[in-house]
Amino acid sequence: MSHLDPERLALIAIENSTTDAERDHLASCDACSIELAELEHTVTIGRSTLNLGVLESPPERVWEAVLSEVRAQSEGTGDTRDTGGLEHTSPTTGAAPAAESAASGPDTTAAEPAVRLRKRRGLSRLLLTLAASIAAVVVVVGAWNLTRPPESVEIASASLAAFPDHPGAAGAALVTELPNGERTVTVNLDAAAGEGFREVWLITADASALVSLGELEGSEGTFVVPDDIDLRDYVLVDVSQEPLDGDPTHSGDSIVRGELDFG
Ligand SMILES: [Zn+2]
């Protein structure tokens, strides 16, 4: 069995009902059971934030769509009792249904009014149940999006080319902006080991200024870009071989270097 559909998981989280197959899958699948646990947590949050107004728009749109369905069912029968009660929860719709049904008249209900009424009420209930489910899913998914960590965005990248003294070396750099505005550079380096250590730098295009981001241990490292560094100026990513001489300046022995591409 493939993983459970996210919307299905959301409904399980809301209604607490599973099929045997779903229960079996949840018992054996960590991914789905963790997701369900998160959703159940979110349902709690979603229910507690329902009154905050943050998530009003989608449920209201769904609600309106269902209301118009119910109204369409009421039209032509002259009976607006089913929607009459709903109007109190949606003041913007006013008394339109009553006017519409008055215009269309109760001409088609004469044959089997009781049956029609039952059918219509059944359909209305179905639609309301559906609306409640859809609204709940929308609320849960919305709350889930609010509570899950926002995404980071990749804003630039560079391929790092070898200097003549380091034939065969290659590297790559990826600049990511976090939701809080912090930028990081992740550097990968594939190069033969040398004496001392390796250091990652940002350098201006004309090499008039440079800033050290830190030591690269191993083949990959992620470094925070200082707030006051404009990456449009410091467009060169450089990895140098540094001797253990206590001198914090660039050794002049670059292994790889590349220019950031902001795509
Ligand atoms: Zn699964």
Side-chain angles (χ1 to χ4, degrees):
M1 182 176 183
S2 57
H3 288 306
L4 298 180
D5 184 72
E7 288 180 9
R8 184 60 207 147
L9 279 172
L11 274 177
I12 293 172
I14 294 161
E15 297 177 341
N16 235 336
S17 64
T18 51
T19 65
D20 289 345
E22 288 167 344
R23 200 159 37 242
D24 287 350
H25 180 82
L26 284 167
S28 62
C29 177
D30 285 347
C32 287
S33 57
I34 289 170
E35 198 171 352
L36 177 61
E38 285 176 0
L39 281 165
E40 283 170 341
H41 177 61
T42 305
V43 168
T44 311
I45 295 171
R47 288 189 171 136
S48 65
T49 56
L50 268 178
N51 295 326
L52 296 181
V54 180
L55 305 165
E56 250 170 24
S57 302
E60 198 170 1
R61 207 164 55 236
V62 172
W63 189 243
E64 282 300 321
V66 172
L67 270 183
S68 63
E69 289 282 337
V70 175
R71 258 184 235 118
Q73 285 296 315
S74 297
E75 276 179 39
T77 68
D79 190 322
T80 60
R81 272 177 290 168
D82 283 348
T83 56
L86 301 176
E87 297 305 325
H88 296 295
T89 63
S90 185
T92 55
T93 56
E100 284 165 15
S101 51
S104 58
D107 52 333
T108 59
T109 54
E112 302 171 71
V115 173
R116 283 176 172 277
L117 192 61
R118 266 201 303 280
K119 276 186 181 168
R120 197 175 64 250
R121 283 188 171 159
L123 182 60
S124 296
R125 257 197 305 278
L126 184 71
L127 284 168
L128 289 177
T129 307
L130 184 65
S133 298
I134 293 171
V137 170
V138 170
V139 167
V140 167
V141 172
W144 195 18
N145 284 335
L146 284 178
T147 54
R148 90 203 310 196
E151 305 272 317
S152 298
V153 185
E154 293 172 5
I155 57 172
S157 62
S159 59
L160 309 179
F163 274 69
D165 285 350
H166 299 271
L174 185 64
V175 180
T176 302
E177 185 167 311
L178 307 179
N180 64 6
E182 185 176 87
R183 298 157 301 166
T184 62
V185 182
T186 298
V187 173
N188 279 281
L189 177 67
D190 178 12
E195 290 289 308
F197 64 99
R198 290 145 169 181
E199 191 163 356
V200 176
W201 308 80
L202 291 174
I203 307 177
T204 54
D206 61 1
S208 63
L210 80 173
V211 60
S212 169
L213 295 183
E215 181 181 345
L216 177 65
E217 296 180 68
S219 59
E220 181 178 319
T222 296
F223 307 88
V224 175
V225 179
D227 285 344
D228 58 344
I229 294 297
D230 185 344
L231 287 174
R232 302 277 175 177
D233 293 334
Y234 288 76
V235 292
L236 300 175
V237 178
D238 177 282
V239 184
S240 67
Q241 190 70 46
E242 296 288 330
L244 292 163
D245 59 2
D247 181 353
T249 62
H250 195 291
S251 65
D253 181 13
S254 289
I255 305 169
V256 291
R257 185 180 295 181
E259 184 173 344
L260 287 173
D261 177 2
F262 290 86

PDB file of all heavy atoms in Angstrom, residues 38 46 48 51 57 84 87 98 101 108 125-126 135 139 150 174 182 196 199 204 213 224 232 243 253 255:
ATOM      1  N   GLU A  38       1.158  14.763  13.775  1.00  0.00           N
ATOM      2  CA  GLU A  38       1.291  16.214  13.586  1.00  0.00           C
ATOM      3  C   GLU A  38      -0.053  16.839  13.244  1.00  0.00           C
ATOM      4  O   GLU A  38      -0.415  17.903  13.734  1.00  0.00           O
ATOM      5  CB  GLU A  38       2.295  16.511  12.473  1.00  0.00           C
ATOM      6  CG  GLU A  38       3.735  16.296  12.895  1.00  0.00           C
ATOM      7  CD  GLU A  38       4.707  16.495  11.736  1.00  0.00           C
ATOM      8  OE1 GLU A  38       4.254  16.794  10.625  1.00  0.00           O
ATOM      9  OE2 GLU A  38       5.920  16.334  11.967  1.00  0.00           O
ATOM     10  N   GLY A  46      -5.873  24.053  15.357  1.00  0.00           N
ATOM     11  CA  GLY A  46      -6.854  24.610  14.433  1.00  0.00           C
ATOM     12  C   GLY A  46      -8.155  24.921  15.137  1.00  0.00           C
ATOM     13  O   GLY A  46      -8.739  25.989  14.943  1.00  0.00           O
ATOM     14  N   SER A  48      -8.551  25.504  18.266  1.00  0.00           N
ATOM     15  CA  SER A  48      -8.397  26.566  19.250  1.00  0.00           C
ATOM     16  C   SER A  48      -8.194  27.921  18.581  1.00  0.00           C
ATOM     17  O   SER A  48      -8.353  28.941  19.227  1.00  0.00           O
ATOM     18  CB  SER A  48      -7.226  26.255  20.184  1.00  0.00           C
ATOM     19  OG  SER A  48      -6.022  26.267  19.454  1.00  0.00           O
ATOM     20  N   ASN A  51     -11.449  30.928  16.159  1.00  0.00           N
ATOM     21  CA  ASN A  51     -12.091  32.212  16.418  1.00  0.00           C
ATOM     22  C   ASN A  51     -11.153  33.399  16.191  1.00  0.00           C
ATOM     23  O   ASN A  51     -11.542  34.526  16.383  1.00  0.00           O
ATOM     24  CB  ASN A  51     -12.612  32.249  17.857  1.00  0.00           C
ATOM     25  CG  ASN A  51     -13.704  31.222  18.054  1.00  0.00           C
ATOM     26  OD1 ASN A  51     -14.471  30.953  17.141  1.00  0.00           O
ATOM     27  ND2 ASN A  51     -13.761  30.632  19.242  1.00  0.00           N
ATOM     28  N   SER A  57     -11.037  33.241   5.359  1.00  0.00           N
ATOM     29  CA  SER A  57     -11.397  33.344   3.952  1.00  0.00           C
ATOM     30  C   SER A  57     -11.737  32.024   3.267  1.00  0.00           C
ATOM     31  O   SER A  57     -12.811  31.901   2.696  1.00  0.00           O
ATOM     32  CB  SER A  57     -10.280  34.063   3.197  1.00  0.00           C
ATOM     33  OG  SER A  57     -10.081  35.322   3.755  1.00  0.00           O
ATOM     34  N   GLY A  84     -33.188  28.993   5.494  1.00  0.00           N
ATOM     35  CA  GLY A  84     -33.537  30.108   6.350  1.00  0.00           C
ATOM     36  C   GLY A  84     -32.673  30.169   7.588  1.00  0.00           C
ATOM     37  O   GLY A  84     -32.217  31.227   7.982  1.00  0.00           O
ATOM     38  N   GLU A  87     -29.072  31.552   7.075  1.00  0.00           N
ATOM     39  CA  GLU A  87     -28.845  32.964   6.780  1.00  0.00           C
ATOM     40  C   GLU A  87     -28.312  33.712   7.982  1.00  0.00           C
ATOM     41  O   GLU A  87     -27.592  34.680   7.837  1.00  0.00           O
ATOM     42  CB  GLU A  87     -30.142  33.619   6.289  1.00  0.00           C
ATOM     43  CG  GLU A  87     -30.665  33.037   4.996  1.00  0.00           C
ATOM     44  CD  GLU A  87     -29.640  33.078   3.872  1.00  0.00           C
ATOM     45  OE1 GLU A  87     -28.862  34.044   3.821  1.00  0.00           O
ATOM     46  OE2 GLU A  87     -29.611  32.148   3.055  1.00  0.00           O
ATOM     47  N   ALA A  98     -35.483  33.903  -0.129  1.00  0.00           N
ATOM     48  CA  ALA A  98     -36.931  34.029   0.021  1.00  0.00           C
ATOM     49  C   ALA A  98     -37.520  34.742  -1.192  1.00  0.00           C
ATOM     50  O   ALA A  98     -38.528  34.315  -1.747  1.00  0.00           O
ATOM     51  CB  ALA A  98     -37.249  34.811   1.293  1.00  0.00           C
ATOM     52  N   SER A 101     -37.375  32.423  -4.331  1.00  0.00           N
ATOM     53  CA  SER A 101     -38.327  31.326  -4.345  1.00  0.00           C
ATOM     54  C   SER A 101     -39.758  31.844  -4.484  1.00  0.00           C
ATOM     55  O   SER A 101     -40.606  31.202  -5.081  1.00  0.00           O
ATOM     56  CB  SER A 101     -38.177  30.456  -3.093  1.00  0.00           C
ATOM     57  OG  SER A 101     -38.211  31.257  -1.951  1.00  0.00           O
ATOM     58  N   THR A 108     -43.964  23.251  -8.697  1.00  0.00           N
ATOM     59  CA  THR A 108     -43.512  21.906  -9.052  1.00  0.00           C
ATOM     60  C   THR A 108     -43.634  20.912  -7.906  1.00  0.00           C
ATOM     61  O   THR A 108     -43.304  19.751  -8.059  1.00  0.00           O
ATOM     62  CB  THR A 108     -42.048  21.934  -9.513  1.00  0.00           C
ATOM     63  OG1 THR A 108     -41.271  22.457  -8.442  1.00  0.00           O
ATOM     64  CG2 THR A 108     -41.876  22.782 -10.757  1.00  0.00           C
ATOM     65  N   ARG A 125     -28.571  18.241   4.203  1.00  0.00           N
ATOM     66  CA  ARG A 125     -27.739  17.726   5.296  1.00  0.00           C
ATOM     67  C   ARG A 125     -26.410  17.231   4.771  1.00  0.00           C
ATOM     68  O   ARG A 125     -25.366  17.481   5.356  1.00  0.00           O
ATOM     69  CB  ARG A 125     -28.481  16.594   6.025  1.00  0.00           C
ATOM     70  CG  ARG A 125     -29.072  17.038   7.364  1.00  0.00           C
ATOM     71  CD  ARG A 125     -29.416  15.857   8.228  1.00  0.00           C
ATOM     72  NE  ARG A 125     -30.304  14.918   7.562  1.00  0.00           N
ATOM     73  CZ  ARG A 125     -31.625  15.075   7.490  1.00  0.00           C
ATOM     74  NH1 ARG A 125     -32.198  16.123   8.028  1.00  0.00           N
ATOM     75  NH2 ARG A 125     -32.367  14.174   6.880  1.00  0.00           N
ATOM     76  N   LEU A 126     -26.486  16.535   3.634  1.00  0.00           N
ATOM     77  CA  LEU A 126     -25.259  16.012   3.023  1.00  0.00           C
ATOM     78  C   LEU A 126     -24.300  17.147   2.694  1.00  0.00           C
ATOM     79  O   LEU A 126     -23.108  17.094   2.995  1.00  0.00           O
ATOM     80  CB  LEU A 126     -25.613  15.228   1.752  1.00  0.00           C
ATOM     81  CG  LEU A 126     -24.445  14.549   1.048  1.00  0.00           C
ATOM     82  CD1 LEU A 126     -23.944  13.367   1.873  1.00  0.00           C
ATOM     83  CD2 LEU A 126     -24.864  14.067  -0.330  1.00  0.00           C
ATOM     84  N   ALA A 135     -14.476  22.520   5.204  1.00  0.00           N
ATOM     85  CA  ALA A 135     -14.012  23.647   6.006  1.00  0.00           C
ATOM     86  C   ALA A 135     -12.989  23.178   7.024  1.00  0.00           C
ATOM     87  O   ALA A 135     -11.967  23.823   7.236  1.00  0.00           O
ATOM     88  CB  ALA A 135     -15.197  24.323   6.709  1.00  0.00           C
ATOM     89  N   VAL A 139      -9.232  24.400   7.235  1.00  0.00           N
ATOM     90  CA  VAL A 139      -8.709  24.986   8.471  1.00  0.00           C
ATOM     91  C   VAL A 139      -7.468  24.228   8.921  1.00  0.00           C
ATOM     92  O   VAL A 139      -6.455  24.825   9.272  1.00  0.00           O
ATOM     93  CB  VAL A 139      -9.782  24.962   9.581  1.00  0.00           C
ATOM     94  CG1 VAL A 139      -9.150  25.262  10.930  1.00  0.00           C
ATOM     95  CG2 VAL A 139     -10.868  25.970   9.260  1.00  0.00           C
ATOM     96  N   PRO A 150       8.525  27.928   8.053  1.00  0.00           N
ATOM     97  CA  PRO A 150       8.513  28.465   6.687  1.00  0.00           C
ATOM     98  C   PRO A 150       9.739  27.969   5.912  1.00  0.00           C
ATOM     99  O   PRO A 150      10.744  27.615   6.502  1.00  0.00           O
ATOM    100  CB  PRO A 150       8.573  29.976   6.889  1.00  0.00           C
ATOM    101  CG  PRO A 150       8.392  30.212   8.324  1.00  0.00           C
ATOM    102  CD  PRO A 150       8.690  28.956   9.066  1.00  0.00           C
ATOM    103  N   LEU A 174      26.167  27.519  -2.445  1.00  0.00           N
ATOM    104  CA  LEU A 174      24.736  27.784  -2.546  1.00  0.00           C
ATOM    105  C   LEU A 174      24.347  28.767  -1.440  1.00  0.00           C
ATOM    106  O   LEU A 174      24.620  28.520  -0.265  1.00  0.00           O
ATOM    107  CB  LEU A 174      23.945  26.480  -2.389  1.00  0.00           C
ATOM    108  CG  LEU A 174      22.435  26.555  -2.587  1.00  0.00           C
ATOM    109  CD1 LEU A 174      22.113  26.948  -4.021  1.00  0.00           C
ATOM    110  CD2 LEU A 174      21.806  25.216  -2.254  1.00  0.00           C
ATOM    111  N   GLU A 182      18.208  35.950   7.520  1.00  0.00           N
ATOM    112  CA  GLU A 182      19.598  35.516   7.612  1.00  0.00           C
ATOM    113  C   GLU A 182      19.987  34.750   6.348  1.00  0.00           C
ATOM    114  O   GLU A 182      19.208  33.962   5.823  1.00  0.00           O
ATOM    115  CB  GLU A 182      19.770  34.596   8.829  1.00  0.00           C
ATOM    116  CG  GLU A 182      21.204  34.188   9.087  1.00  0.00           C
ATOM    117  CD  GLU A 182      21.313  33.370  10.369  1.00  0.00           C
ATOM    118  OE1 GLU A 182      21.134  32.140  10.319  1.00  0.00           O
ATOM    119  OE2 GLU A 182      21.552  33.979  11.429  1.00  0.00           O
ATOM    120  N   GLY A 196      47.777  22.243   6.683  1.00  0.00           N
ATOM    121  CA  GLY A 196      47.020  23.284   7.359  1.00  0.00           C
ATOM    122  C   GLY A 196      45.523  23.054   7.263  1.00  0.00           C
ATOM    123  O   GLY A 196      45.051  21.935   7.409  1.00  0.00           O
ATOM    124  N   GLU A 199      39.837  27.632   4.369  1.00  0.00           N
ATOM    125  CA  GLU A 199      39.020  28.738   4.862  1.00  0.00           C
ATOM    126  C   GLU A 199      38.145  29.269   3.725  1.00  0.00           C
ATOM    127  O   GLU A 199      38.587  29.345   2.571  1.00  0.00           O
ATOM    128  CB  GLU A 199      39.930  29.858   5.401  1.00  0.00           C
ATOM    129  CG  GLU A 199      39.184  30.929   6.179  1.00  0.00           C
ATOM    130  CD  GLU A 199      40.134  31.775   7.036  1.00  0.00           C
ATOM    131  OE1 GLU A 199      41.353  31.480   7.075  1.00  0.00           O
ATOM    132  OE2 GLU A 199      39.642  32.742   7.654  1.00  0.00           O
ATOM    133  N   THR A 204      35.092  40.790  -3.001  1.00  0.00           N
ATOM    134  CA  THR A 204      34.452  41.670  -3.985  1.00  0.00           C
ATOM    135  C   THR A 204      34.998  41.363  -5.377  1.00  0.00           C
ATOM    136  O   THR A 204      36.094  40.816  -5.531  1.00  0.00           O
ATOM    137  CB  THR A 204      34.712  43.157  -3.660  1.00  0.00           C
ATOM    138  OG1 THR A 204      36.125  43.349  -3.537  1.00  0.00           O
ATOM    139  CG2 THR A 204      34.031  43.547  -2.366  1.00  0.00           C
ATOM    140  N   LEU A 213      34.511  33.728   6.170  1.00  0.00           N
ATOM    141  CA  LEU A 213      33.294  33.130   6.723  1.00  0.00           C
ATOM    142  C   LEU A 213      33.617  32.044   7.735  1.00  0.00           C
ATOM    143  O   LEU A 213      32.787  31.685   8.564  1.00  0.00           O
ATOM    144  CB  LEU A 213      32.424  32.543   5.597  1.00  0.00           C
ATOM    145  CG  LEU A 213      31.856  33.549   4.603  1.00  0.00           C
ATOM    146  CD1 LEU A 213      30.957  32.851   3.598  1.00  0.00           C
ATOM    147  CD2 LEU A 213      31.101  34.672   5.310  1.00  0.00           C
ATOM    148  N   VAL A 224      27.257  31.466   7.994  1.00  0.00           N
ATOM    149  CA  VAL A 224      26.352  32.617   8.021  1.00  0.00           C
ATOM    150  C   VAL A 224      27.046  33.822   7.390  1.00  0.00           C
ATOM    151  O   VAL A 224      28.194  34.124   7.715  1.00  0.00           O
ATOM    152  CB  VAL A 224      25.929  32.934   9.471  1.00  0.00           C
ATOM    153  CG1 VAL A 224      25.083  34.210   9.517  1.00  0.00           C
ATOM    154  CG2 VAL A 224      25.158  31.760  10.066  1.00  0.00           C
ATOM    155  N   ARG A 232      25.838  41.314  -3.533  1.00  0.00           N
ATOM    156  CA  ARG A 232      25.986  41.829  -4.900  1.00  0.00           C
ATOM    157  C   ARG A 232      27.360  42.456  -5.073  1.00  0.00           C
ATOM    158  O   ARG A 232      27.841  42.597  -6.196  1.00  0.00           O
ATOM    159  CB  ARG A 232      24.898  42.874  -5.197  1.00  0.00           C
ATOM    160  CG  ARG A 232      23.487  42.337  -5.043  1.00  0.00           C
ATOM    161  CD  ARG A 232      23.021  41.611  -6.290  1.00  0.00           C
ATOM    162  NE  ARG A 232      21.709  40.992  -6.090  1.00  0.00           N
ATOM    163  CZ  ARG A 232      21.032  40.347  -7.040  1.00  0.00           C
ATOM    164  NH1 ARG A 232      21.539  40.233  -8.250  1.00  0.00           N
ATOM    165  NH2 ARG A 232      19.870  39.802  -6.789  1.00  0.00           N
ATOM    166  N   PRO A 243      47.993  27.950   5.943  1.00  0.00           N
ATOM    167  CA  PRO A 243      48.952  27.300   6.842  1.00  0.00           C
ATOM    168  C   PRO A 243      48.617  27.616   8.300  1.00  0.00           C
ATOM    169  O   PRO A 243      47.922  28.589   8.586  1.00  0.00           O
ATOM    170  CB  PRO A 243      50.288  27.943   6.445  1.00  0.00           C
ATOM    171  CG  PRO A 243      49.906  29.283   5.914  1.00  0.00           C
ATOM    172  CD  PRO A 243      48.550  29.120   5.265  1.00  0.00           C
ATOM    173  N   ASP A 253      46.772  31.466  -1.281  1.00  0.00           N
ATOM    174  CA  ASP A 253      46.754  30.143  -1.906  1.00  0.00           C
ATOM    175  C   ASP A 253      45.307  29.667  -2.057  1.00  0.00           C
ATOM    176  O   ASP A 253      44.815  28.893  -1.235  1.00  0.00           O
ATOM    177  CB  ASP A 253      47.569  29.166  -1.056  1.00  0.00           C
ATOM    178  CG  ASP A 253      47.618  27.768  -1.667  1.00  0.00           C
ATOM    179  OD1 ASP A 253      47.239  27.608  -2.856  1.00  0.00           O
ATOM    180  OD2 ASP A 253      48.026  26.838  -0.945  1.00  0.00           O
ATOM    181  N   ILE A 255      42.267  27.587  -3.475  1.00  0.00           N
ATOM    182  CA  ILE A 255      42.057  26.254  -4.062  1.00  0.00           C
ATOM    183  C   ILE A 255      41.036  26.357  -5.197  1.00  0.00           C
ATOM    184  O   ILE A 255      41.271  25.904  -6.313  1.00  0.00           O
ATOM    185  CB  ILE A 255      41.540  25.249  -3.000  1.00  0.00           C
ATOM    186  CG1 ILE A 255      42.478  25.205  -1.798  1.00  0.00           C
ATOM    187  CG2 ILE A 255      41.367  23.863  -3.619  1.00  0.00           C
ATOM    188  CD1 ILE A 255      41.908  24.452  -0.603  1.00  0.00           C
TER     189      ILE A 255
END
